[in-house]
């Protein structure tokens, strides 16, 4: 985005410098976030990028809710079991 390559007309030449960058770049191309404009020129598809961020946010919210519910259930289970041990 720093070079404003947001459309096929604005596409830039891009090459990675490390294996980790290559892996990340390949994943972004595979998911459609980065598009190939031909002749080894690429651009960022903002709609796909925003959709990916929204998908990851939804997954995070679902995971947080599941964690909170699990924690509440476990807390209640230990509270009930623990209180009967204390009263004995």
């Amino acid at each position: 985005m720093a070079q404003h390559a947001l459309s096929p007309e604005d596409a830039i030449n891009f090459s990675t410098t490390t294996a980790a960058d290559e892996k990340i770049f390949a994943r972004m191309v595979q998911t459609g976030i980065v598009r190939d404009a031909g002749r080894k020129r690429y651009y960022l598809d903002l709609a796909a990028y925003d959709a990916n961020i929204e998908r990851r946010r939804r997954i995070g919210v679902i995971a947080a809710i599941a964690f909170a519910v699990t924690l509440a259930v476990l807390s209640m289970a230990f509270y009930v079991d623990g209180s009967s041990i204390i009263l004995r």
Side-chain angles (χ1 to χ4, degrees):
M1 286 196 311
Q3 295 184 358
H4 205 72
L6 303 175
S7 69
E9 296 81 26
D10 298 328
I12 60 169
N13 291 325
F14 183 79
S15 62
T16 58
T17 55
T18 66
D21 287 345
E22 180 65 34
K23 187 175 180 179
I24 293 168
F25 182 73
R27 190 177 323 131
M28 292 177 81
V29 170
Q30 181 183 8
T31 58
I33 294 170
V34 173
R35 303 276 181 169
D36 186 355
R39 298 186 324 239
K40 295 185 180 182
R41 294 165 42 92
Y42 298 92
Y43 68 96
L44 181 69
D45 183 341
L46 278 180
Y49 179 72
D50 289 340
N52 187 336
I53 289 174
E54 182 62 24
R55 180 186 62 80
R56 292 175 70 183
R57 186 193 65 78
R58 279 194 310 261
I59 290 171
V61 167
I62 291 169
I65 290 171
F67 177 74
V69 168
T70 302
L71 187 62
V73 168
L74 289 174
S75 296
M76 288 175 23
F78 284 117
Y79 176 75
V80 171
D81 288 344
S83 64
S84 63
I85 292 172
I86 294 172
L87 294 176
R88 286 185 192 177

